[in-house]
Amino acid sequence: MKLLLALYFFILAIIQMGLLFGIYHYYRSQNTVRPNIYWLTSLATSSLALAVFGGGIITIDDISRPEFNFTIGNTLFYIAAVSQALFCQSLNRDVSKATKIILGVSAVLFVFIFEYLRNTSTFEIRTAFMCVLAGFFYVWQILEIRVKRRSLPSSQLIYLQYASSAELFFAIGRLTILLIGALSIKQVEQIPQILILFTIAQLVMNTLSYIAIGSYWAEQIAFSSFKSNQENQEIKALLKERETLIASLLKANKTASTGALSAAIAHELNQPLGASGLNIQFLQKKLSEGQLNPALEKEIFATLLADNQRAAGIIRSLRSIFSDDKLDSSKIDLSELIEVVLNIAKPEIAAKSIQIVLSIEPNLLVQANRGEIQQVLLNLVNNAIQALATSSQPMKKLTIEARHVESGVLLTVADNGDGIPEASQNQLFELLSSTKTSGMGLGLWLCKYIVTRHGGSIEFVPNDGGGAKFIVTFPDVIELA
């Protein structure tokens, strides 16, 4: 009898431990949706408890006075039940710090209470005590699962609810057998077969509940992947629509001002939408490799949202540039704005292995329109990145300097690329003039338009040692256009 009972416990322990290792390996490779820490804790402690019980049954002589290892095993079962209940609660809402503290203290108190029962009470009382506690946590689980199913129908949650209900049924059955049986059990061989059957059945249902939770998380991964793919398709459609829009805008240039505005919008939108395209490719790569964790997923979607908001801001900014409205300006920190622009261009900078060299004085305040000056900085940085991308330089450097000068604030953006042909230097800031095979020749023209509008100036000089350098000045007192 002892060996058979121990074998049951060991088999269930091996099954649960195998499930734990399998789940850990699977989610480590997928990493799209992380498994809940409460569930993993419950599964780990439950498998350990089963192993402790299996070993304890083999060596026990008097079941009414078991060894201390049974206190350890039952404590692990208690922690497993608490953790599984917390998992079910976390499906609906965050577990409060107070709840964690209360249940943590209860686990410590359980050790002392069960140790007292181990030394002073009978097998029947201890078993009834565990059945009552388990029943409480099963009811808690079932209620939380029912709430979750109302907001998120899931076949796996149905299976979990059924398994939890079965656990509750067998726990109540064990309690009923003890209450109506008037038993006095001192040896393992004296345990009724029906009580053993209900105990093993309860543990089997517990194992099935862990499997149902594992299936639920697999279901969530599939849903997350489907949602990500759907969003990718929508963004791709937007990018395709962008290309159509650009072509339509260029064809619709009827007057000089309307044509310039349309082309400028198309040109400037290439930057945030291009950044969105890179983030989409990065997201697809991580999804295919199974390396997308929640923090990275949140960061990527936040970046995509920021790019979309930046695109909307560009449209508003360009409309104001080509209108007769008064310039909307405020005091802005140029050093902080440079940091924002570098964060936007960070994926391209990293992809092209470009080294950033900064020399920026603090408190570089200028009176300007933040969105327009950001566009100037972004155009200059992107031009430098594109020049370095095609350069044969082994060490590619993008240098940004900003400092106070007598006339105001001086900003330089330089690269050590192949430079700009001398024949093209005189037309750099002219509308529809470009030194690149792809592009509309709007970036530098728009930069000059914005800087001049703010009362500043921009010029090009060859960079020392090769490459291009653009020098921008902002006056102390901005003459608003």
Side-chain angles (χ1 to χ4, degrees):
M1 174 70 78
K2 285 184 181 181
L3 290 177
L4 184 60
L5 268 178
L7 182 62
Y8 288 148
F9 278 91
F10 283 136
I11 289 174
L12 290 173
I14 291 171
I15 292 173
Q16 291 189 9
M17 191 64 70
L19 178 62
L20 176 64
F21 288 148
I23 291 297
Y24 175 77
H25 175 75
Y26 176 70
Y27 285 106
R28 188 178 180 185
S29 62
Q30 294 297 319
N31 230 9
T32 310
V33 179
R34 286 187 178 276
N36 189 288
I37 186 64
Y38 301 117
W39 170 46
L40 291 182
T41 300
S42 179
L43 183 55
T45 51
S46 177
S47 60
L48 287 174
L50 289 168
V52 170
F53 259 86
I57 290 173
I58 295 176
T59 58
I60 193 170
D61 292 323
D62 185 356
I63 199 170
S64 63
R65 292 291 182 270
E67 301 297 327
F68 179 70
N69 56 1
F70 280 83
T71 298
I72 297 174
N74 279 287
T75 301
L76 290 172
F77 272 133
Y78 178 81
I79 295 173
V82 168
S83 299
Q84 190 162 346
L86 288 178
F87 160 76
C88 293
Q89 178 178 321
S90 69
L91 293 175
N92 298 308
R93 60 195 178 281
D94 292 336
V95 179
S96 67
K97 186 177 181 180
T99 301
K100 294 177 184 178
I101 292 174
I102 291 171
L103 292 176
V105 171
S106 75
V108 176
L109 291 176
F110 178 88
V111 176
F112 294 99
I113 294 172
F114 194 88
E115 182 64 9
Y116 173 78
L117 293 176
R118 184 180 70 86
N119 290 305
T120 60
S121 66
T122 63
F123 166 81
E124 295 80 15
I125 293 176
R126 291 193 301 273
T127 303
F129 173 68
M130 291 301 297
C131 288
V132 170
L133 282 180
F136 167 76
F137 288 114
Y138 295 149
V139 171
W140 184 3
Q141 289 177 207
I142 293 168
L143 293 176
E144 294 290 354
I145 294 169
R146 289 184 63 185
V147 172
K148 182 63 177 179
R149 284 181 56 200
R150 293 193 191 103
S151 60
L152 180 66
S154 168
S155 59
Q156 302 306 322
L157 289 180
I158 295 175
Y159 300 148
L160 177 58
Q161 185 174 340
Y162 287 161
S164 298
S165 300
E167 287 181 271
L168 177 61
F169 170 78
F170 288 118
I172 294 174
R174 292 171 63 198
L175 182 61
T176 303
I177 293 169
L178 291 171
L179 292 177
I180 67 176
L183 304 172
S184 179
I185 301 172
K186 294 184 178 297
Q187 303 295 326
V188 173
E189 289 75 10
Q190 294 176 332
I191 301 175
Q193 295 292 324
I194 185 66
L195 183 58
I196 294 175
L197 176 63
F198 271 56
T199 301
I200 298 301
Q202 181 183 338
L203 295 174
V204 170
M205 290 299 108
N206 179 249
T207 303
L208 291 178
S209 71
Y210 288 129
I211 294 173
I213 296 172
S215 300
Y216 168 75
W217 282 106
E219 187 178 72
Q220 295 306 299
I221 287 177
F223 175 75
S224 177
S225 297
F226 171 77
K227 185 177 179 182
S228 295
N229 289 333
Q230 190 176 42
E231 289 173 348
N232 289 343
Q233 293 301 321
E234 291 175 357
I235 294 175
K236 285 180 179 178
L238 287 174
L239 291 173
K240 186 175 181 180
E241 187 178 344
R242 176 207 66 175
E243 298 298 334
T244 304
L245 175 62
I246 291 173
S248 299
L249 286 173
L250 290 175
K251 291 177 181 178
N253 288 340
K254 301 298 182 181
T255 65
S257 60
T258 304
L261 173 60
S262 301
I265 291 175
H267 176 272
E268 295 306 312
L269 285 180
N270 266 325
Q271 295 171 348
L273 292 176
S276 294
L278 289 174
N279 278 303
I280 293 169
Q281 294 175 13
F282 180 73
L283 179 63
Q284 289 176 320
K285 180 175 180 292
K286 290 298 180 181
L287 280 172
S288 64
E289 294 174 352
Q291 296 179 357
L292 183 64
N293 56 56
L296 182 58
E297 181 182 8
K298 182 178 180 182
E299 179 183 349
I300 292 173
F301 283 114
T303 303
L304 288 172
L305 178 60
D307 287 333
N308 288 338
Q309 292 173 341
R310 187 156 58 92
I314 287 170
I315 294 174
R316 290 193 299 270
S317 177
L318 288 172
R319 282 176 178 170
S320 68
I321 288 174
F322 288 92
S323 68
D324 294 329
D325 295 340
K326 184 179 178 181
L327 181 64
D328 182 18
S329 66
S330 61
K331 286 186 178 180
I332 60 173
D333 187 344
L334 197 58
S335 59
E336 184 267 337
L337 200 57
I338 292 171
E339 182 179 355
V340 170
V341 168
L342 288 177
N343 283 334
I344 293 172
K346 185 177 180 180
E348 277 288 336
I349 292 171
K352 303 297 188 300
S353 301
I354 297 172
Q355 179 183 352
I356 302 297
V357 180
L358 299 177
S359 177
I360 302 172
E361 290 183 2
N363 301 320
L364 292 173
L365 298 179
V366 295
Q367 186 78 21
N369 180 284
R370 180 184 178 89
E372 294 181 19
I373 301 304
Q374 179 174 315
Q375 285 308 118
V376 171
L377 290 171
L378 197 54
N379 272 332
L380 295 177
V381 168
N382 279 335
N383 283 346
I385 292 172
Q386 291 169 14
L388 290 170
T390 58
S391 173
S392 57
Q393 287 280 2
M395 181 68 71
K396 301 176 181 180
K397 290 184 181 181
L398 169 58
T399 304
I400 301 177
E401 298 178 356
R403 66 181 187 276
H404 293 95
V405 293
E406 185 175 353
S407 58
V409 174
L410 180 70
L411 167 72
T412 65
V413 179
D415 63 76
N416 66 337
D418 298 334
I420 297 174
E422 187 174 350
S424 303
Q425 294 177 8
N426 293 332
Q427 293 84 35
L428 279 178
F429 298 100
E430 291 182 7
L431 182 62
L432 303 180
S433 173
S434 176
T435 62
K436 294 175 284 188
T437 55
S438 62
M440 294 174 289
L442 285 162
L444 291 176
W445 170 82
L446 189 58
C447 287
K448 184 173 182 178
Y449 187 99
I450 293 173
V451 172
T452 304
R453 188 169 185 247
H454 282 79
S457 65
I458 181 171
E459 63 177 320
F460 161 81
V461 295
N463 191 25
D464 297 335
K469 178 189 289 187
F470 290 90
I471 303 172
V472 183
T473 59
F474 296 101
D476 282 329
V477 179
I478 302 298
E479 297 177 5
L480 300 183

